[in-house]
Amino acid sequence: MKIKKLLIGSASMIVAATGAKAADPVVMIEPVTANYVEACDAFGSGYFFIPGTETCLQIGGYVRFETKFGGIQTGSSLDNDWYPYVKTNLAVTAKSATELGTLTSRMVPEFYFYSNGTGDDFKFDEAYLEIGDALAFRAGYIKGYWNEDLWGELDNIDNVSRYNSIRLAYNGADHFQIALAAVGMTPDETGSDGELAKIGLSGRLGYVVSDSNYLKLDTAYDTYNETYAVRPWAGFGIGPGTFEIAGLYASGFIAYVPDFTSANWDDLADR
Amino acid sequence: MKHAVAANYYFNVTENFILAPQTQYTVASNDKVFWEAGFTSDWEIVDDFHVRTNINYAFLDDSWNQQNWFGWVRLERDF
């Protein structure tokens, strides 16, 4: 209160001073900035306020050293096919509360070094902005639902499904998940000749109570190849663990699902 | 791929060791059929430090010209 009075006092003094002699001394009071980082608990753990702003920031990620061996999609029966690689994943998420809901931006660059001749590599895991809460609009390079796998990562019921996309998704406290995404698929991903992107569509219907109890249905449609895929899956907490089962049907070649024919398999010409 | 069914069951063997037997049945686009089976384990040695192992066998005969064994061993520190 005292400071406020002082400020008002000094302000009226400035007004008075401008009306009088310009030589009167004016004392400016600098606002005091905090010299520590404040935790932000509005969006879960790990967030802190960017000093001097209302924006909360979180930094996460991982460092991985992995050795891969074999592979049923390598098109080779070579027995001694193995290589190590290293991967770093850095996830930077910024969130702030707005009148339209939570405004989010997230960027997750990944750097690799492979010992199989590929050398170093750069990829995005995700890079998007999003606005909304239970119902949210997301745009950017989105890691889609088809990227999700069962816990064990056998990795042949999912595929790398990251696209430049727009997505409207509902993730309610009532456990329902409803999402629709329109994605730009590259010529490589559709097998088209040109340099233009083709549109893909994907959807998710889910009832997800937890990682151990869920029902999910993923769908995808490739407008260029006019192919579709569906993937129903479910998880049940049984005994000490969780049983998961997933089914998959693809009407033809579609980038959302693993391609066990075409170039991956030597014995096969058609898709 | 034409269609497939995959399943796994993951459970805690001890407080920081998870094991998951897994299998998949696949019908490829050429109507060839194959099975894969294996396991994944995750041992969290200390908080946020995971040793994850994935070893599988694909039941493919020589005409597929593919490797049968595949998998990976991973050291990962999450933050």
Side-chain angles (χ1 to χ4, degrees), chain A residues 162-176:
Chain A
R162 297 183 179 90
Y163 304 105
N164 284 331
S165 343
I166 51 171
R167 172 165 112 185
L168 194 63
Y170 174 80
N171 278 290
D174 54 6
H175 307 306
F176 280 103

Side-chain angles (χ1 to χ4, degrees), chain A residues 21 29 86:
Chain A
K21 297 168 197 167
I29 300 164
V86 69

Side-chain angles (χ1 to χ4, degrees), chain A residues 67-86:
Chain A
T67 299
K68 275 185 190 293
F69 61 92
I72 57 162
Q73 295 179 70
T74 53
S76 159
S77 56
L78 201 69
D79 286 331
N80 52 357
D81 180 2
W82 69 278
Y83 61 90
Y85 75 95
V86 69

Side-chain angles (χ1 to χ4, degrees), chain A residues 64-66 152 156 238 266, chain B residues 9 36 40 65 74-76:
Chain A
R64 174 185 293 178
F65 174 78
E66 183 177 302
N156 289 328
I238 297 174
D266 286 357
Chain B
Y9 180 73
E36 298 155 85
T40 298
N65 195 27
R74 177 187 295 172
L75 305 179
E76 186 172 303

Side-chain angles (χ1 to χ4, degrees), chain A residues 60-78 81 150-154 156-157 211-212 238-250 258 260-261 264-268, chain B residues 1-12 18 20 22-24 26 28-30 32 34 36 40-42 52 54-56 58 60 63-79:
Chain A
Y62 56 84
V63 173
R64 174 185 293 178
F65 174 78
E66 183 177 302
T67 299
K68 275 185 190 293
F69 61 92
I72 57 162
Q73 295 179 70
T74 53
S76 159
S77 56
L78 201 69
D81 180 2
L150 303 185
W151 186 90
E153 296 181 70
L154 187 61
N156 289 328
I157 198 86
D211 286 347
S212 299
I238 297 174
T242 299
F243 178 73
E244 293 178 299
I245 184 160
L248 175 66
Y249 175 79
F260 284 150
T261 52
N264 293 327
W265 298 99
D266 286 357
D267 65 337
L268 202 282
Chain B
M1 177 194 285
K2 213 175 231 173
H3 50 261
V5 178
N8 71 190
Y9 180 73
Y10 65 92
F11 61 101
N12 278 78
I18 302 174
Q22 57 195 3
T23 185
Q24 179 162 335
T26 303
S29 306
N30 57 353
K32 276 196 165 185
F34 67 97
E36 298 155 85
T40 298
S41 67
D42 190 305
R52 208 167 152 98
N54 181 326
I55 297 174
N56 305 289
L60 302 165
S63 68
W64 286 86
N65 195 27
Q66 302 287 334
Q67 297 164 85
N68 295 109
W69 290 99
F70 64 102
W72 37 259
V73 179
R74 177 187 295 172
L75 305 179
E76 186 172 303
R77 196 269 192 238
D78 301 327
F79 62 96

Side-chain angles (χ1 to χ4, degrees), chain A residues 87 89 105 185 196 232:
Chain A
K87 173 181 182 181
N89 171 295
S105 61
M185 303 174 98
L196 299 176

Side-chain angles (χ1 to χ4, degrees), chain A residues 5 7 14 20 63 107 133 145 163 203:
Chain A
K5 273 181 188 166
L7 280 167
I14 297 166
V63 173
M107 61 186 105
D133 293 309
Y145 293 110
Y163 304 105

